[in-house]
Amino acid sequence: LDAALRQCRAWLDAGRELSIAVNLSTRCLLDLTLPDQIAQLLEDTAVAADRLVLEITESAIMTDPTRALEVLNRLHALGVQLAIDDFGTGYSSMAYLKSLPVDELKVDRSFVKHLRDDQNDAVIVRSTVDLGHNLGLRVVAEGVEDEATLNELATLGCDSVQGYYVARPMPAAELIAWLATQPQPSASHD
């Protein structure tokens, strides 16, 4: 988290209004001191809380839902953005989804990969986009590897995408140069 927020600060200092996402382990999610630690890191780096996106999995939440909800509520109160990563692959109930203070659903790549040639995956992705939007959440599709899938997701109203079609993983130092070569998209692409 410290390294991620320091990188975010460097991007901001370079004039790039970027956010940064960090995956949280189950152990971190259940640590009642985590919100205080993050508040201190945000203060130390002078990064606005809404620039930090913490990604959590359904299974991490289900390990100890009461404790996880307490930590998530405190993080949300700080202004940190919260995302459910790999949505649809866990075993959580809709009851938990409606009570979680999350801002974003990330559709797992296993559904996105065959979106165009598997009717069941297409229904799951479309339903997840609709569900997320109806709950007031942003929806991100993971694993976008070609233009046709990107276009289909745009048609479905997906808010943003990530995957090899957009860019391969790269060191933070290369991101600013890569961004300078990209046309400004009409929709957000993570």
Side-chain angles (χ1 to χ4, degrees):
L1 283 165
D2 181 58
L5 287 171
R6 290 193 188 287
Q7 182 60 61
C8 188
R9 176 77 264 155
W11 288 330
L12 292 168
D13 290 345
R16 289 296 186 155
E17 298 287 321
L18 299 173
S19 297
I20 195 150
V22 177
N23 289 43
L24 283 186
S25 70
T26 301
R27 194 176 106 225
C28 288
L29 181 60
L30 300 178
D31 181 352
L32 295 175
T33 68
L34 181 68
D36 294 330
Q37 293 172 24
I38 289 176
Q40 186 62 56
L41 288 170
L42 289 167
E43 184 178 322
D44 291 349
T45 57
V47 171
D50 65 350
R51 294 271 175 216
L52 176 61
V53 179
L54 296 176
E55 298 184 3
I56 53 178
T57 61
E58 296 171 80
S59 59
I61 296 166
M62 298 309 292
T63 300
D64 185 344
T66 303
R67 192 172 188 145
L69 186 57
E70 180 180 345
V71 171
L72 291 172
N73 280 326
R74 290 179 55 210
L75 291 168
H76 183 71
L78 288 174
V80 171
Q81 301 292 296
L82 302 170
I84 297 180
D85 196 16
D86 303 330
F87 184 74
T89 61
Y91 301 102
S92 68
S93 72
M94 292 297 170
Y96 281 113
L97 180 59
K98 74 176 188 173
S99 66
L100 293 173
V102 296
D103 304 286
E104 181 175 282
L105 291 181
K106 295 186 76 177
V107 182
D108 188 70
R109 68 181 35 89
S110 64
F111 303 116
V112 174
K113 182 178 182 180
H114 299 290
L115 168 67
R116 294 179 302 111
D117 55 352
D118 184 315
Q119 189 59 35
N120 290 329
D121 284 348
V123 168
I124 289 170
V125 172
R126 182 175 49 252
S127 298
T128 302
V129 170
D130 290 344
L131 174 66
H133 288 163
N134 287 329
L135 290 171
L137 306 174
R138 291 183 310 273
V139 181
V140 178
E142 299 178 312
V144 176
E145 297 189 12
D146 58 62
E147 184 176 12
T149 301
L150 176 68
N151 292 337
E152 181 67 22
L153 288 162
T155 299
L156 295 175
C158 191
D159 298 302
S160 60
V161 302
Q162 66 184 60
Y164 288 170
Y165 181 71
V166 177
R168 297 252 179 205
M170 68 185 77
E174 294 176 18
L175 180 64
I176 297 299
W178 179 83
L179 285 172
T181 67
Q182 301 305 302
Q184 292 299 319
S186 58
S188 161
H189 297 272
D190 291 338

